[in-house]
């Protein structure tokens, strides 16, 4: 085995009498399998006669020991001598880090046989000997790594406790906060955390509120932090994310434009901006391509650009490139699923959405995409299940309510009262496309509820007037209202709507004769 030979060579070089240094005592510091394996006879400390040495500065003994043991540990990993590796790691103060590294190698080797259809592996990280955790001798970074291992093994309660201890002792390790956040899926779990008061705790809570869909609370936290960190681009970007979740797109666009003015070469979070800035998408795609085309965010922005142009095959290609750079990049999986839906490739779309959900089960876009895909396949009960998941995660998004309402309207379900409830929620959720009011009027008309239908047609007319919109929907509303008020003997109101219908030319105007 080449790796083992390399390790043996490493030790033999260090014990060469001609090159002996004070590090020759390294294996006398305690009993280990490494020392037993590589035990050699004692050698003289006096150089051979006639050999002269040039005086050179020597490294500190501990530095030499650490360097040698580090190289030895690396070779033991490659040689799969994991038990001996632990003893070497003890001298490096890496009782968590190096066993974790060894465990990852075992995991990779087992993945080939244990891999499922979506690439998931049931292989666990190596459970090293974490005896020092109970003694309280692991430093905050070691606790952080220990928490990761426990989380991967499914021991989430202990992982949460370990990560809390880590961030309390070293609050500047943001990745430890992020791992802790992934374990806190409810507000009760957040409130039960025994965290020290520190400004990093505010950053953590703001991010955690965003993940558990408390967007207003998250926005308030970030605005509070902005009072202290007034020039932080990160906080500005997080405020934009919160506003995006609250569907305030005008504010989102203004914040991202300011971010680009302050930091023209910024790539982080720009993929979210590309989901809304259709007018400037070409400019944004060119800018991130010139800045760093090998970033997942850049690939997603370019993919969105090709999607907008209708070139869905090219769009998928760039999303695949993003996933080569980061296989857990959530946006790429979801957006690629959308492209497969456009290409009518529903099996590939379902697979992409399910991968996104495996990464983050709170991604409402992936659940919504699954609903769309199953609806295309005519499986409306499945589609309804996934739409319900999406609206639970994002109740303020009118598009999700409209999609679920249309699912209720299908011939397979015909649950019109449930559809009406969904359209009402869409109206309350800022229906920018103005779909819900018209659909509510039509459904009530279909169910014979003329008064309710008239109420929603009037609301729709007022909205169209406020937004200065005209067209077939306005003609439909005016004609229904004129007919309705004529039938209920309210001729003055019927005359008002007939008069407004006279402003339109074509076949609609001839229907006024019927009303007269």
């Amino acid at each position: 085995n080449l790796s083992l030979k390399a390790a043996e060579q490493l030790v033999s070089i260090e014990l060469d009498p001609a090159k002996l240094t004070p590090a020759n005592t390294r294996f006398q510091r305690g009993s280990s399998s490494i020392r037993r394996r590589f035990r050699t006879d004692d050698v003289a400390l006096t150089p051979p006669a006639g050999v002269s040495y040039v005086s050179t500065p020597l490294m500190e003994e501990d530095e030499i020991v650490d360097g040698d043991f580090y190289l030895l540990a690396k070779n033991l990993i490659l040689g799969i001598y994991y038990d001996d590796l632990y003893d070497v790691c003890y001298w490096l103060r890496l009782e968590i880090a190096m066993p974790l590294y060894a465990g990852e190698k075992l995991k990779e080797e087992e993945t080939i046989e244990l891999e499922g259809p979506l690439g998931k592996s049931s292989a666990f990280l190596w459970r090293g000997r974490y005896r020092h955790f109970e003694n309280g001798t692991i430093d905050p970074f070691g606790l952080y790594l220990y928490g990761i291992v426990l989380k991967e093994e499914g021991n989430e309660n202990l992982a949460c406790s370990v990560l809390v201890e880590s961030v309390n002792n070293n609050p500047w390790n943001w990745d430890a906060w992020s791992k802790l956040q992934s374990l806190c899926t409810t507000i009760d779990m957040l409130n039960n955390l025994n965290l020290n008061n520190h400004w990093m705790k505010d950053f953590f809570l703001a991010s955690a509120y965003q993940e558990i869909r408390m967007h207003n609370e998250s926005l308030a936290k970030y605005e509070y932090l902005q009072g202290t960190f007034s020039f932080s681009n990160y906080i500005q970007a997080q405020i934009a994310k919160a506003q995006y979740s609250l569907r305030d797109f005008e504010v989102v666009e203004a914040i991202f434009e300011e971010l680009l003015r302050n930091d023209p070469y910024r790539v982080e979070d720009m993929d979210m901006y590309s989901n809304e800035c259709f007018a400037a998408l070409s400019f944004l795609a060119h800018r991130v391509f010139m800045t760093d085309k090998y970033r997942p965010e850049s690939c997603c922005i370019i993919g969105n650009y090709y999607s907008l142009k209708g070139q869905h095959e090219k769009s998928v290609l760039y999303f695949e490139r993003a996933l080569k750079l980061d296989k857990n990049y959530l946006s790429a999986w979801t957006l690629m699923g959308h492209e497969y839906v456009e290409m009518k490739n529903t099996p590939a779309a379902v697979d992409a959405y399910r991968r996104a959900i495996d990464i983050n089960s709170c991604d409402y876009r992936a659940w919504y995409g699954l609903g769309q895909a199953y609806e295309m396949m005519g499986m409306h009960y499945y589609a309804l299940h996934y739409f319900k998941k999406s609206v639970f995660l994002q109740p303020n998004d009118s598009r999700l309510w409209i999609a679920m309402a249309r699912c209720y309207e299908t011939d397979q379900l015909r649950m019109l009262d449930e559809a009406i409830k969904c359209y009402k929620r869409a109206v309350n959720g800022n229906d920018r496309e103005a779909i819900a009011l018209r659909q509510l009027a039509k459904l009530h008309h279909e169910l014979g509820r003329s008064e309710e239908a008239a109420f929603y047609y009037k609301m729709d007319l007022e909205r169209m007037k406020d937004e200065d919109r005209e067209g077939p929907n306005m003609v439909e509303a005016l004609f229904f209202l004129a007919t309705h008020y004529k039938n209920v003997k309210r001729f003055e109101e019927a005359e008002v709507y007939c008069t407004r219908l006279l402003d339109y030319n074509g076949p609609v105007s001839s229907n006024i004769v019927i009303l007269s």
Side-chain angles (χ1 to χ4, degrees):
N1 186 300
L2 293 176
S3 303
L4 180 58
K5 289 181 180 178
E8 291 173 344
Q9 281 289 338
L10 174 64
V11 176
S12 64
I13 289 172
E14 293 162 2
L15 295 177
D16 188 343
K19 299 181 180 180
L20 198 62
T21 70
N24 73 311
T25 60
R26 58 178 54 88
F27 292 116
Q28 299 174 11
R29 298 187 176 188
S31 175
S32 72
S33 59
I34 296 294
R35 188 183 67 171
R36 290 192 294 272
R37 173 177 291 185
F38 299 111
R39 178 179 288 130
T40 58
D41 296 331
D42 291 339
V43 293
L45 296 178
T46 305
V51 178
S52 62
Y53 292 94
V54 178
S55 177
T56 57
L58 295 176
M59 297 172 62
E60 292 292 333
E61 180 181 353
D62 287 341
E63 293 178 7
I64 297 171
V65 173
D66 288 352
D68 293 347
F69 270 104
Y70 177 73
L71 293 174
L72 181 56
K74 286 181 66 176
N75 281 278
L76 287 170
I77 288 171
L78 296 173
I80 324 180
Y81 290 90
Y82 300 113
D83 292 332
D84 292 335
L85 171 64
Y86 181 83
D87 296 309
V88 176
C89 291
Y90 178 79
W91 297 108
L92 292 176
R93 301 175 63 83
L94 292 175
E95 294 216 26
I96 300 295
M98 293 303 286
L100 179 65
Y101 183 18
E104 284 290 348
K105 182 168 178 63
L106 275 175
K107 183 178 178 181
E108 289 177 5
E109 292 173 355
E110 293 178 17
T111 296
I112 298 173
E113 296 181 2
L114 299 174
E115 217 173 40
L118 295 181
K120 295 187 295 183
S121 172
S122 60
F124 286 124
L125 292 172
W126 181 54
R127 297 176 175 86
R129 286 169 267 182
Y130 301 120
R131 59 182 180 270
H132 294 276
F133 172 66
E134 290 77 8
N135 300 334
T137 57
I138 300 181
D139 61 19
F141 188 73
L143 288 169
Y144 153 67
L145 293 174
Y146 186 24
I148 293 176
V149 174
L150 291 169
K151 179 177 179 291
E152 290 292 324
E153 292 182 347
N155 193 348
E156 295 187 354
N157 290 331
L158 183 56
C160 191
S161 301
V162 170
L163 289 170
V164 166
E165 187 175 346
S166 175
V167 297
N168 282 339
N169 289 304
N170 179 24
W172 299 279
N173 182 4
W174 177 246
D175 201 53
W177 289 104
S178 299
K179 294 295 186 293
L180 179 60
Q181 174 189 308
S182 67
L183 295 170
C184 300
T185 55
T186 65
I187 185 61
D188 291 334
M189 294 179 70
L190 276 178
N191 292 335
N192 290 332
L193 295 178
N194 186 21
L195 297 171
N196 295 339
N197 286 327
H198 193 277
W199 52 266
M200 283 294 289
K201 177 182 175 182
D202 291 324
F203 278 96
F204 165 73
L205 289 176
S207 180
Y209 287 151
Q210 182 81 345
E211 284 299 312
I212 60 176
R213 303 173 300 283
M214 296 174 61
H215 304 301
N216 289 310
E217 291 79 359
S218 175
L219 183 60
K221 273 287 182 187
Y222 281 123
E223 289 175 345
Y224 166 75
L225 286 166
Q226 198 172 34
T228 304
F229 304 95
S230 53
F231 299 104
S232 171
N233 289 340
Y234 168 80
I235 293 178
Q236 271 193 302
Q238 298 309 307
I239 289 174
K241 285 184 178 180
Q243 296 285 12
Y244 183 88
S245 299
L246 293 170
R247 310 285 294 164
D248 195 345
F249 298 114
E250 292 181 1
V251 175
V252 171
E253 189 171 351
I255 292 174
F256 276 117
E257 287 175 357
E258 184 179 355
L259 276 174
L260 285 174
R261 283 194 298 270
N262 297 334
D263 185 4
Y265 301 102
R266 183 180 182 85
V267 177
E268 292 86 356
D269 307 309
M270 288 296 115
D271 54 331
M272 176 180 289
Y273 183 39
S274 71
N275 294 332
E276 294 299 326
C277 68
F278 302 122
L281 188 53
S282 175
F283 168 75
L284 181 63
H286 178 74
R287 171 175 281 188
V288 297
F289 180 83
M290 298 303 294
T291 301
D292 188 352
K293 63 182 178 180
Y294 295 112
R295 289 280 293 274
E297 295 92 338
S298 302
C299 294
C300 273
I301 292 169
I302 297 169
N304 274 338
Y305 168 70
Y306 282 115
S307 176
L308 184 64
K309 293 181 67 177
Q311 300 182 25
H312 302 296
E313 291 81 3
K314 274 191 175 182
S315 180
V316 167
L317 177 64
Y318 274 95
F319 292 137
E320 288 175 345
R321 288 183 182 179
L323 292 168
K324 287 180 182 177
L325 296 167
D326 183 359
K327 65 180 180 180
N328 291 323
Y329 194 63
L330 181 63
S331 294
W333 284 115
T334 305
L335 293 170
M336 187 163 67
H338 294 344
E339 295 308 303
Y340 282 130
V341 167
E342 293 292 331
M343 297 163 63
K344 311 300 183 191
N345 188 349
T346 49
V350 168
D351 182 62
Y353 290 134
R354 290 198 182 280
R355 286 176 180 262
I357 290 167
D358 287 337
I359 296 169
N360 183 1
S361 60
C362 294
D363 182 18
Y364 74 92
R365 298 174 303 168
W367 290 110
Y368 169 70
L370 276 175
Q372 279 189 311
Y374 278 99
E375 193 172 32
M376 289 174 59
M377 293 187 285
M379 304 170 70
H380 298 289
Y381 284 102
Y382 284 93
L384 186 60
H385 168 73
Y386 294 122
F387 285 141
K388 286 180 178 179
K389 286 273 192 180
S390 67
V391 297
F392 172 76
L393 294 169
Q394 187 70 3
N396 297 322
D397 195 331
S398 61
R399 298 171 301 178
L400 309 182
W401 290 106
I402 290 171
M404 190 160 68
R406 285 175 170 168
C407 192
Y408 278 124
E409 287 184 81
T410 56
D411 293 335
Q412 188 176 351
L413 300 180
R414 280 320 271 179
M415 301 169 66
L416 299 186
D417 286 327
E418 296 299 321
I420 287 173
K421 292 178 184 177
C422 293
Y423 282 127
K424 286 181 178 179
R425 291 294 301 266
V427 171
N428 296 330
N430 189 20
D431 176 21
R432 295 196 303 166
E433 291 81 11
I435 296 171
L437 284 173
R438 178 169 174 263
Q439 291 300 116
L440 279 170
K442 292 177 71 173
L443 284 176
H444 280 296
H445 179 45
E446 185 177 344
L447 293 171
R449 304 167 185 168
S450 297
E451 287 296 333
E452 289 87 346
F455 172 77
Y456 286 111
Y457 271 127
K458 287 177 73 174
M459 284 185 65
D460 198 24
L461 278 176
E462 290 173 6
R463 178 165 179 169
M464 285 187 278
K465 182 179 179 180
D466 293 339
E467 297 176 358
D468 196 22
R469 289 190 292 113
E470 294 183 355
N473 292 346
M474 177 175 282
V475 173
E476 178 185 330
L478 289 170
F479 188 79
F480 174 84
L481 289 169
T483 306
H484 170 69
Y485 286 120
K486 173 179 176 291
N487 293 336
V488 296
K489 312 288 186 194
R490 294 165 63 176
F491 298 113
E492 290 183 0
E493 292 176 78
E495 184 179 358
V496 171
Y497 293 114
C498 286
T499 303
R500 292 181 64 177
L501 275 171
L502 287 171
D503 295 336
Y504 292 89
N505 298 319
V508 175
S509 298
S510 63
N511 290 328
I512 301 175
V513 178
I514 302 173
L515 295 176
S516 62

